[in-house]
Amino acid sequence: METVEDIVIVGAGIAGLTTSLGLHRHAGNQKLGIGIIREFEGHWICLHNMEIVVTSSTSGQPSSERSLKAKGKHGENETRCVRRKLLLEALEKELPSGTIRFSSKVVSVEESGYFKLVHLDDGNKEVEDDPAKMKQFVLRKCHELPDRVKAVLDNTPLDGIICSPLRYRHPWEVLWGNISKGNVCVAGDALHPMTPDLGQGGCAALEDGIVLARSIAEVLKKTPSEEIEETAAGELEKEEFKSIEMGLKKFAKERRWRSFDLITTAYVVGSIQQSEGKIMNLLRDIFSVYLAGLLSKRADFDFGKLTISDHMQ
């Protein structure tokens, strides 16, 4: 079966769903977060008044504390934890019915003039790992951890267990590589896979979705000139292709350095925290407060608003 779509988003993760919802909300001139915030009421953990306690790797004793309630360039920070599954469900619920095509996997993308032919498989999903088996595997690997940590794992419900592969991209590949090409671009983990040491992967994916939706909506808002409308359809397709291409280039320019910064910082923090040896232990103790502060500093970021008029003011 062959269908024609104006926009195809491959992957219904945080970035994909946010982009889709952003485009729908922008078309209806609605704010993005109101309905989603209601979905989270009673389901998030607010860390507003909590602190990060840094423990010495040599003595095992707390060496310093840093409040999560730090004031940054864009106001006072507030840290809230929410389950990834709840976030995805909240984004999905706000989308019109039929927006998402489940149980589909992209096999290949083929060039066809100014269009792309996206080939899907027959709809079969790969067999997912059994959450119960994954839970037992993790518990077996954590036998040396304190009992209170193992109790948290043991009490975790099966629907809260997921398996996600860790990937990493060298920062210079983001700086010099193609984030966009023609009328195709990458976002989310496809753009900036990183180590989990900053806890910014999901947040960065949300940022990508807003910026990408804004960039696409800005070029789609412009109507072709009357001269182009009166010419052959091929000229109109060329004009639309060039507009989309420029919009995606704008997205790439806006997200390139932010992605580079997050990937690099996460890698450096992870390398220092997980390295062994007396010299690295000493350096870790000396710079522990600074490393802890990077978590809140990298979150202190303003990517603008969804609405183009508000963003340009």
Side-chain angles (χ1 to χ4, degrees):
M1 182 179 68
E2 185 175 300
T3 60
V4 178
E5 302 290 347
D6 293 329
I7 299 175
V8 176
I9 300 174
V10 178
I14 296 176
L17 292 177
T18 304
T19 303
S20 180
L21 182 55
L23 289 170
H24 280 289
R25 290 292 174 87
H26 193 281
N29 197 24
Q30 298 174 318
K31 292 185 178 181
L32 181 61
I34 296 177
I36 298 175
I37 291 176
R38 293 197 190 103
E39 292 292 327
F40 291 154
E41 291 180 354
H43 294 286
W44 59 29
I45 300 175
C46 183
L47 305 179
H48 192 61
N49 296 317
M50 296 186 69
E51 297 178 333
I52 297 176
V53 179
V54 180
T55 303
S56 171
S57 56
T58 54
S59 66
Q61 299 298 318
S63 58
S64 61
E65 297 181 358
R66 187 182 183 94
S67 175
L68 291 174
K69 189 179 179 181
K71 188 173 182 179
K73 294 185 298 183
H74 303 286
E76 191 174 86
N77 293 331
E78 183 177 73
T79 303
R80 298 188 179 191
C81 297
V82 63
R83 289 172 58 189
R84 180 186 181 92
K85 181 181 178 181
L86 290 176
L87 174 59
L88 294 175
E89 289 176 349
L91 292 169
E92 176 190 344
K93 187 177 294 185
E94 293 294 312
L95 288 169
S97 177
T99 301
I100 305 175
R101 178 172 177 169
F102 295 98
S103 301
S104 299
K105 181 180 179 180
V106 173
V107 177
S108 63
V109 179
E110 180 183 348
E111 297 278 353
S112 179
Y114 295 114
F115 299 92
K116 296 291 186 295
L117 300 179
V118 181
H119 298 278
L120 307 178
D121 65 3
D122 58 4
N124 297 325
K125 297 182 79 174
E126 297 179 359
V127 179
E128 296 181 353
D129 293 333
D130 187 343
K133 292 182 179 179
M134 285 193 291
K135 183 176 183 177
Q136 292 304 315
F137 173 80
V138 174
L139 286 172
R140 287 196 301 270
K141 294 294 183 180
C142 298
H143 59 88
E144 295 183 355
L145 293 178
D147 291 339
R148 54 193 176 90
V149 176
K150 291 188 287 187
V152 172
L153 297 173
D154 193 41
N155 293 328
T156 301
L158 294 181
D159 62 357
I161 297 177
I162 60 174
C163 180
S164 300
L166 291 178
R167 293 185 172 89
Y168 171 73
R169 173 165 293 137
H170 297 298
W172 52 85
E173 293 179 358
V174 176
L175 282 184
W176 300 325
N178 290 327
I179 296 177
S180 68
K181 186 177 181 180
N183 57 354
V184 178
C185 76
V186 291
D189 287 341
L191 169 58
H192 42 64
M194 68 187 84
T195 60
D197 300 280
L198 284 182
Q200 286 290 312
C203 297
L206 283 169
E207 296 172 11
D208 288 346
I210 297 294
V211 177
L212 181 54
R214 186 173 64 218
S215 301
I216 296 175
E218 186 174 9
V219 296
L220 292 181
K221 186 178 181 181
K222 299 177 182 178
T223 58
S225 63
E226 294 182 1
E227 295 181 358
I228 294 294
E229 290 180 345
E230 294 175 358
T231 59
E235 291 297 319
L236 180 59
E237 292 174 359
K238 181 179 179 180
E239 171 104 341
E240 292 176 340
F241 178 88
K242 291 297 182 182
S243 296
I244 294 295
E245 184 179 36
M246 293 305 297
L248 297 185
K249 284 184 177 180
K250 180 180 179 181
F251 162 77
K253 181 179 179 181
E254 189 170 344
R255 297 301 296 167
R256 190 181 300 276
W257 279 102
R258 170 66 169 168
S259 300
F260 172 82
D261 185 23
L262 291 175
I263 292 175
T264 304
T265 305
Y267 180 78
V268 171
V269 171
S271 298
I272 296 176
Q273 289 179 339
Q274 299 170 30
S275 297
E276 298 179 355
K278 294 182 178 180
I279 296 179
M280 290 305 301
N281 286 340
L282 178 62
L283 291 175
R284 183 161 49 239
D285 290 344
I286 294 175
F287 295 105
S288 58
V289 177
Y290 172 75
L291 294 176
L294 290 178
L295 276 69
S296 57
K297 287 183 178 179
R298 291 303 177 270
D300 186 25
F301 180 77
D302 184 7
F303 53 88
K305 298 181 179 180
L306 173 63
T307 306
I308 296 174
S309 58
D310 291 340
H311 176 64
M312 297 179 67
Q313 288 178 354

